[in-house]
């Protein structure tokens, strides 16, 4: 290992420690994992997918409330409904059986901090050259200490970062010739979070067929294991929960999705402050699904063409697909925008290689938009309008996708003889 790599590891280790110290965590979003695990242990799985019919974020089930009191979940910690696969609380039983909620929360908080540092390490090492230097990693780490999506993830102990790291690592494994492990790892992420499964369509275009077969076989295995572990009734409840959530329109300010951004104009502005559940129009639901699919296919096409035009190019298309899977799902919580660290790193790396001020500015704007709460407070101080920043992280993801597409277009335009006829190049290049 080189001296620079050792320094980067030390910086990321210090960054991880800072995340644990700086951000006190209520563990609000982890209550669902802990409570569902305790319900699984006590055989009360009929209450696993309890929810409030009016407010998406609440659980009013008396069994949940009694459990929270019994297992010493602090009264100020908000109970959130459980919407994930029943296999998740099943495998967590040994941990939640031996820990209080406080300890359970601290363990996952540490895992989350390590996951974000791991995301920077693996993506930076695999996809960047000039940027993967102690000085630049230190600047990124300092900036991320005040990064709104990461702050939200740490203060609520949201597990999304763990599965994002697994998804990125699966992409790297497939590209580096380990398709069986890639498919297995992606299936683990998709079994809990579902949206990582969009990367299968990316793999279809990039011809990672063995990774796809591994993914499908693994998903079939997890399904069989789940049926055997929890029974048909619980699986039916899970499927009904997925169906219900997929038809919910949520306009709260921390839903940074295309659906929330588009539909907010038809509802009172006050809806951004609450978690009322509205029906998601069928046409919008189909459009969102098409946009997720389209982003994955477009990302796959970008990387397939780049593989010929510039074999050493990073997987820009994979990041485009990840961004699309984030903002085009109907519910995209603000902490999901931790994915933005990937395009920021890629844009800065190419800016350093090309000495491009435009790419440097683009990365800076993405970072500022992602920090929409901080930016909004500053604009308020200057007496400037801030309403457009309500979905700032959605705008940041959209801008990052556009910037990466322009970057890919320029790379392909520079190498038309390798990547195909010039007439087929993106016009935006």
């Amino acid at each position: 290992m080189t001296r620079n790599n050792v320094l980067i590891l030390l910086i990321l280790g210090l960054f991880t420690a800072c995340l644990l110290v700086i951000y006190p965590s209520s563990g609000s979003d982890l209550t669902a994992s802990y409570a569902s695990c305790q319900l699984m242990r006590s055989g009360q799985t009929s209450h696993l997918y309890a929810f409030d019919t009016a407010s998406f974020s609440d659980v009013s089930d008396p069994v949940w409330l009694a459990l929270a009191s019994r297992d010493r979940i602090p009264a100020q910690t908000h109970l959130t409904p459980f919407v994930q696969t029943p296999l998740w609380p099943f495998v967590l039983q040994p941990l939640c059986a031996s820990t209080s909620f406080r300890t359970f929360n601290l363990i996952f908080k540490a895992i989350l901090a390590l996951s974000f540092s791991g995301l920077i390490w693996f993506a930076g090492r695999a996809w960047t050259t000039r940027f993967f230097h102690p000085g630049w990693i230190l600047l990124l780490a300092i900036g991320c200490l005040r990064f709104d999506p990461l702050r939200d993830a740490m203060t609520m102990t949201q597990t999304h970062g763990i599965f994002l790291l697994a998804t990125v690592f699966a992409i790297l494994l497939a590209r580096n010739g380990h398709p069986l492990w890639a498919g297995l790892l992606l299936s683990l992420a998709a079994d809990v979070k579902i949206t990582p499964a969009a990367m299968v369509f990316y793999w279809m275009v990039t011809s990672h067929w063995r990774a796809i077969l591994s993914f499908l076989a693994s998903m079939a295995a997890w399904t069989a294991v789940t049926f055997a572990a929890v029974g048909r009734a619980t699986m039916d409840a899970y499927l009904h929960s997925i169906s219900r959530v997929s038809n919910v329109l949520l306009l709260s300010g921390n839903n940074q999705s295309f659906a929330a951004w588009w539909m907010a104009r038809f509802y009172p502005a006050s809806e951004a402050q609450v978690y009322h559940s509205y029906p998601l129009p069928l046409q919008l639901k189909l459009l969102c699904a098409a946009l997720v699919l389209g982003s994955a296919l477009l990302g796959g096409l970008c990387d397939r063409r780049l593989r010929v035009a510039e074999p050493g190019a990073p997987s820009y298309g994979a990041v485009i697909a990840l961004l699309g899977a984030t903002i085009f799902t109907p519910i995209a919580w603000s902490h999901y925008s931790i994915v933005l660290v990937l395009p920021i790193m890629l844009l800065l790396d190419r800016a350093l290689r090309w000495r491009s001020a435009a790419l440097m500015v683009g990365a800076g704007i993405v970072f500022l938009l992602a920090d929409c709460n901080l930016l909004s407070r500053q604009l308020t101080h200057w007496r400037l309008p801030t309403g457009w920043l309500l979905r700032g992280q959605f705008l940041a993801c959209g801008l990052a996708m556009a910037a990466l597409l322009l970057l890919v277009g320029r790379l392909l335009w520079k190498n038309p003889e390798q990547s195909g006829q010039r007439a087929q190049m993106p016009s935006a290049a």
Side-chain angles (χ1 to χ4, degrees):
M1 185 175 287
T2 67
R3 178 175 175 273
N4 275 355
N5 284 355
V6 171
L7 287 174
I8 290 171
L9 283 174
L10 289 174
I11 290 167
L12 292 177
L14 181 60
F15 172 64
T16 301
C18 287
L19 289 178
L20 295 175
V21 172
I22 290 173
Y23 293 114
S25 172
S26 66
S28 291
D29 278 14
L30 199 63
T31 56
S33 294
Y34 189 78
S36 63
C37 180
Q38 298 293 5
L39 288 170
M40 185 76 69
R41 287 184 61 237
S42 62
Q44 296 175 296
T45 53
S46 61
H47 294 267
L48 202 60
Y49 294 100
F51 64 95
D52 190 284
T53 56
S55 179
F56 186 86
S57 63
D58 293 334
V59 184
S60 53
D61 190 311
V63 174
W64 276 68
L65 299 177
L67 182 147
S69 174
R70 184 188 71 215
D71 289 297
R72 299 186 302 279
I73 295 177
Q76 69 271 21
T77 300
H78 188 78
L79 282 176
T80 56
F82 181 68
V83 295
Q84 296 168 340
T85 170
L87 189 61
W88 176 242
F90 181 81
V91 300
L92 287 177
Q93 286 183 90
L95 180 59
C96 71
S98 57
T99 60
S100 65
F101 177 74
R102 178 181 172 82
T103 304
F104 188 82
N105 183 43
L106 287 173
I107 290 171
F108 270 95
K109 185 181 174 183
I111 294 172
L112 178 58
L114 286 168
S115 296
F116 193 78
S117 294
L119 188 67
I120 295 173
W121 168 263
F122 287 112
R125 193 174 185 186
W127 290 338
T128 68
T129 53
R130 292 288 301 280
F131 184 79
F132 198 66
H133 180 276
W136 287 105
I137 296 297
L138 177 61
L139 287 175
L140 179 68
I142 292 172
C144 284
L145 287 176
R146 186 51 192 83
F147 192 49
D148 275 353
L150 181 57
R151 182 202 62 194
D152 291 346
M154 292 300 300
T155 55
M156 296 185 293
T157 320
Q158 230 296 332
T159 58
H160 182 79
I162 301 169
F163 303 105
L164 175 61
L165 174 62
T167 303
V168 170
F169 200 41
I171 295 167
L172 297 177
L173 286 172
R175 177 163 176 162
N176 293 329
H178 303 285
L180 298 182
W181 288 109
L184 174 62
L185 192 56
L186 186 67
S187 73
L188 288 171
D191 194 51
V192 179
K193 283 290 183 178
I194 301 178
T195 50
M199 298 310 298
V200 169
F201 299 101
Y202 165 84
W203 278 345
M204 288 175 61
V205 181
T206 55
S207 300
H208 287 102
W209 300 109
R210 293 180 66 190
I212 293 173
L213 290 175
S214 173
F215 171 83
L216 295 176
S218 300
M219 287 299 291
W222 302 140
T223 302
V225 168
T226 306
F227 262 109
V230 305
R232 177 165 190 147
T234 303
M235 276 298 291
D236 285 344
Y238 168 58
L239 295 175
H240 282 109
S241 175
I242 291 177
S243 176
R244 177 184 68 84
V245 172
S246 69
N247 288 301
V248 168
L249 170 65
L250 192 65
L251 300 171
S252 66
N254 61 340
N255 181 14
Q256 297 287 322
S257 70
F258 168 77
W261 171 78
W262 181 259
M263 293 300 295
R265 71 194 69 189
F266 304 113
Y267 291 83
S270 59
E271 288 301 314
Q273 310 302 321
V274 292
Y275 292 87
H276 294 159
S277 297
Y278 291 101
L280 179 68
L282 177 60
Q283 298 90 332
L284 184 57
K285 179 180 177 180
L286 295 175
L287 176 60
C288 288
L291 289 171
V292 170
L293 175 61
S295 300
L297 296 176
L298 179 60
L301 179 61
C302 288
D303 281 352
R304 189 178 74 180
R305 300 291 292 274
L306 282 175
R307 190 165 54 194
V308 178
E310 188 174 306
S315 299
Y316 295 119
V319 178
I320 291 170
L322 286 171
L323 291 167
T326 299
I327 61 172
F328 293 132
T329 52
I331 298 178
W333 301 116
S334 56
H335 52 260
Y336 289 6
S337 297
I338 58 173
V339 70
L340 284 167
V341 73
L342 299 176
I344 288 171
M345 291 168 64
L346 291 175
L347 291 172
L348 289 175
D349 180 65
R350 189 58 68 166
L352 293 170
R353 290 203 232 177
W354 287 350
R355 298 183 179 180
S356 170
L359 287 175
M360 192 75 72
V361 170
I365 294 174
V366 169
F367 185 85
L368 286 174
L369 285 173
D371 276 300
C372 52
N373 292 330
L374 178 64
L375 185 57
S376 179
R377 285 196 294 272
Q378 187 60 49
L379 292 179
T380 300
H381 178 71
W382 292 337
R383 298 182 180 180
L384 294 174
T386 59
W388 60 279
L389 274 175
L390 179 64
R391 317 281 175 186
Q393 287 145 4
F394 163 73
L395 298 176
C397 287
L399 177 60
M401 290 181 72
L404 290 176
L405 284 170
L406 289 171
L407 177 53
V408 170
R410 181 175 173 184
L411 288 170
L412 295 179
W413 184 264
K414 288 173 61 179
N415 300 280
E417 65 280 0
Q418 286 91 0
S419 59
Q421 296 179 356
R422 187 178 293 260
Q424 295 176 326
M425 295 302 99
S427 59

